[in-house]
Amino acid sequence: MSQTLKNYINGKWVESKSSQLLDVINPATGQLLAKVPAGSEEDIKDAAEKAHNAWSAWRNTPATQRIQYLFKMKQLLEAHSDEIAEICTRECGKTFPESKAEITRALENIEVACGIPKLLQGDFSEDIATGVDEFYIRQPLGVGACISPFNFPVMIPFWFMPYAIACGNTYIVKPSEKVPMTMVRIFEIFEELKLPDGVLNMVHGGRETVDAILGNPMIPAISFVGSTNVAKYIYQTGVANGKRVQAQGGAKNPVVVMPDADEETTVKIITDSAFGCAGQRCLAASIVIMVGKSPAGFIDKIVNTAKSRKTGNGMSAGIEMGPVITKENKERIEKLIQKGIDDGARLLLDGRNIKIPGGEGGNFIGPTILDNVNIESDIYKTEIFGPVLCIINTDSLEEAINLINRSRYGNSACIFTRNGAAARKFRRETVTGNIGINIGIAAPMAFFPFSGWKESFFGDLHGQSNHAVEFYTQTKVVIERWHDEWTRKF
Ligand code: NAD
């Protein structure tokens, strides 16, 4: 009998009011791991009410005390990282080292949020007129919520939650229904924190839970990460309901290779970037744009390096790439590959029909590379979110930048070159929120915002660092007059 997951509301594990259950499947084996509730409006209503009730005492707890819970949170997550990484790998499919790496990213965000007493500071101007001072303070908003995608079950809620609660908000985490077990285990471990009841809550589910969050008047701020169409829907609906929303969407990240790029580094980084996490990363390289005449044998080296990548169950030692998340995603990706070939691309490496010993029930696709990709085809324009790399050629850096700037997405773009002027031009003129120069995954550290432009992001303030602090607080401006003569009376 598989376990049915519970919500965590007001310091207790409670059953969902929804009777509909969804399967949580190990993507490497097809094995049923657990059942997760599809979610209900009542679950969110309950969590929002309890979080709202807890808010007053929590916001009145000094920031210096609130962060004591975060120091402990960091220690607990670190101490249990192997166990958490194992659950993450089983339900999400990525390799065990990849799961460990995302836990490190979560830890770094907790560390930055521990600086909240400083990050939360306002600003003060004395004597804006005679005897008049003006300043602003930052105050929390109330109950915040985050809705996360399947591909980083640990890291993504930590782009928001530690900052939100450190700022004095209470919080609801809605994990992806495809990978809810990792966050359940994290919440079990966090019971040791002894946070006041209602400060940190978790509600499971899919669309119904999300719609309940969007419609709940007690939740003024929502952080979302997921695909672009859903991000747009969440942003538009949330904003129409008067909420503050930050919604990070999908991506299609290009890597520009200049003729002078260092071959060894570039080949290694491109293959890691394209095929790490089976291409299921919003910062994965999915298009290589070769500028000018590519050095002899360069493409062959990318193909050979990709071919040597060991695909299999992420829990097995030496495996470098796991499966994709669901059978439907595997089918969708395979269809896109075929469509790309039909639209004129040359298939250099075919990961379809890969055979993994013992992985017959899994959703495996091996590294796939297509050259001469037609820029009007779906394979070029659509986010594939799988281990597929497309290669195209341009005559100049200008042309490469123009192509990138025409994309609907603007998450990240990278360039490989030894030429400082080319790198500078690329950095200045490329319309994406994250830029990598001789770097394949331009993932901002926790003390920088996770930027993203165009249809890769809807909103103003991003996740992580001071952006998360600004998002989860509102500024109150105070103008004061204290006459000397009043003081002298006492
Ligand atoms: P998804 O959009 O399917 O789901 C994300 C969340 O939205 C889940 O919690 C899900 O329950 C909910 N959801 C799904 N459909 C919904 C609907 N119709 N209405 C309301 N809620 C809905 O995304 P996914 O497949 O879980 O994750 C992969 C996507 O996330 C990719 O597009 C990837 O690029 C993106 N992503 C972006 C970033 C970033 O920082 N920009 C980071 C990670 C992942």
Side-chain angles (χ1 to χ4, degrees):
M1 267 277 283
S2 61
Q3 160 202 21
T4 298
L5 302 179
K6 290 185 175 165
N7 293 330
Y8 188 79
I9 299 176
N10 207 28
K12 288 175 200 60
W13 291 98
V14 292
E15 274 176 27
S16 165
K17 304 280 187 305
S18 160
S19 52
Q20 199 195 334
L21 297 174
L22 308 169
D23 293 343
V24 183
I25 305 278
N26 182 335
T29 60
Q31 181 204 355
L32 177 68
L33 297 173
K35 295 267 186 188
V36 64
S40 77
E41 198 179 338
E42 292 95 280
D43 293 340
I44 285 296
K45 193 164 171 271
D46 189 19
E49 268 170 24
K50 302 294 178 357
H52 186 76
N53 294 344
W55 181 45
S56 164
W58 183 243
R59 69 163 290 198
N60 288 325
T61 305
T64 48
Q65 285 180 32
R66 291 196 298 256
I67 60 166
Q68 300 311 314
Y69 293 96
L70 293 189
F71 286 119
K72 197 155 176 214
M73 187 182 269
K74 191 219 162 196
Q75 286 166 354
L76 284 172
L77 199 58
E78 211 160 26
H80 291 268
S81 65
D82 279 357
E83 179 198 353
I84 294 166
E86 194 173 327
I87 301 170
C88 178
T89 290
R90 288 204 194 287
E91 67 176 355
C92 182
K94 61 178 65 176
T95 66
F96 183 75
E98 286 170 344
S99 294
K100 289 278 285 192
E102 73 159 295
I103 295 172
T104 303
R105 289 281 178 171
L107 290 168
E108 288 164 358
N109 274 285
I110 304 174
E111 285 165 8
V112 175
C114 284
I116 221 73
K118 179 73 189 162
L119 290 167
L120 209 50
Q121 272 177 356
D123 215 347
F124 197 103
S125 291
E126 197 175 49
D127 287 326
I128 54 157
T130 308
V132 179
D133 303 329
E134 180 166 345
F135 58 96
Y136 78 80
I137 48 178
R138 292 198 168 278
Q139 294 193 329
L141 304 172
V143 183
C146 82
I147 301 162
S148 39
F150 79 82
N151 64 327
F152 284 100
V154 185
M155 174 184 78
I156 284 179
F158 286 87
W159 285 353
F160 316 107
M161 179 270 281
Y163 302 96
I165 63 171
C167 288
N169 302 278
T170 52
Y171 214 69
I172 303 172
V173 174
K174 205 291 286 171
S176 162
E177 66 278 27
K178 293 181 187 129
V179 294
M181 299 176 74
T182 310
M183 204 39 77
V184 166
R185 186 62 196 127
I186 290 174
F187 267 65
E188 282 169 0
I189 291 163
F190 283 179
E191 283 186 284
E192 245 189 82
L193 293 173
K194 306 249 173 304
L195 266 168
D197 290 348
V199 170
L200 195 50
N201 308 274
M202 174 174 47
V203 177
H204 293 294
R207 181 168 188 158
E208 203 167 325
T209 308
V210 173
D211 282 339
I213 293 172
L214 289 169
N216 193 298
M218 275 186 211
I219 305 175
I222 301 175
S223 301
F224 171 86
V225 181
S227 53
T228 283
N229 289 347
V230 182
K232 200 187 257 180
Y233 164 74
I234 284 178
Y235 183 76
Q236 288 171 344
T237 316
V239 168
N241 290 345
K243 297 179 192 302
R244 212 176 251 213
V245 184
Q246 48 181 195
Q248 302 193 196
K252 184 91 184 171
N253 306 307
V255 172
V256 172
V257 180
M258 298 297 286
D260 65 351
D262 178 79
E263 199 174 287
E264 204 184 319
T265 331
T266 309
V267 166
K268 180 173 178 340
I269 295 180
I270 286 178
T271 45
D272 283 348
S273 173
F275 303 117
C277 294
Q280 298 173 117
R281 277 192 292 207
C282 67
L283 292 175
S286 56
I287 303 167
V288 169
I289 306 179
M290 302 292 308
V291 174
K293 200 169 168 325
S294 41
F298 185 85
I299 305 277
D300 290 345
K301 282 191 182 127
I302 292 190
V303 171
N304 289 334
T305 311
K307 213 189 269 177
S308 69
R309 226 176 159 82
K310 267 189 99 180
T311 305
N313 187 321
M315 280 312 294
S316 307
I319 291 299
E320 294 168 291
M321 195 172 93
V324 297
I325 188 73
T326 58
K327 293 227 168 317
E328 296 72 40
N329 276 29
K330 176 174 150 77
E331 270 166 36
R332 188 185 62 83
I333 295 164
E334 287 173 348
K335 274 190 193 144
L336 271 167
I337 296 171
Q338 189 53 51
K339 181 85 182 14
I341 300 166
D342 297 344
D343 288 343
R346 198 153 52 94
L347 184 64
L348 300 183
L349 183 63
D350 191 356
R352 297 171 295 175
N353 305 317
I354 188 176
K355 299 276 175 281
I356 306 293
E360 293 70 24
N363 317 317
F364 292 99
I365 307 180
T368 299
I369 300 180
L370 297 153
D371 194 8
N372 282 330
V373 169
N374 177 348
I375 61 166
E376 296 307 326
S377 71
D378 281 351
I379 193 107
Y380 177 80
K381 291 183 177 165
T382 311
E383 180 182 40
I384 302 170
F385 226 55
V388 181
L389 185 64
C390 296
I391 302 173
I392 62 170
N393 294 279
T394 60
D395 291 332
S396 65
L397 179 57
E398 264 88 8
E399 203 184 325
I401 294 174
N402 282 339
L403 266 180
I404 296 170
N405 292 352
R406 287 206 319 250
S407 164
R408 73 188 282 225
Y409 298 109
N411 218 31
S412 123
C414 301
I415 188 168
F416 285 83
T417 182
R418 286 186 170 102
N419 181 326
R424 184 172 187 276
K425 179 180 173 65
F426 186 78
R427 161 168 69 76
R428 279 175 55 79
E429 295 179 14
T430 303
V431 186
T432 66
N434 299 290
I435 294 283
I437 297 176
N438 298 319
I439 297 282
I441 300 274
M445 293 295 286
F447 36 88
F448 284 92
F450 190 108
S451 219
W453 288 4
K454 296 196 275 186
E455 294 210 37
S456 294
F457 180 72
F458 302 90
D460 303 297
L461 295 162
H462 298 84
Q464 300 198 146
S465 81
N466 60 322
H467 274 219
V469 175
E470 285 180 40
F471 183 80
Y472 279 106
T473 52
Q474 51 196 345
T475 48
K476 183 180 275 180
V477 176
V478 182
I479 306 175
E480 292 187 343
R481 170 180 284 127
W482 297 102
H483 282 301
D484 257 2
E485 53 272 28
W486 298 348
T487 314
R488 266 186 253 117
K489 281 184 193 152
F490 298 103

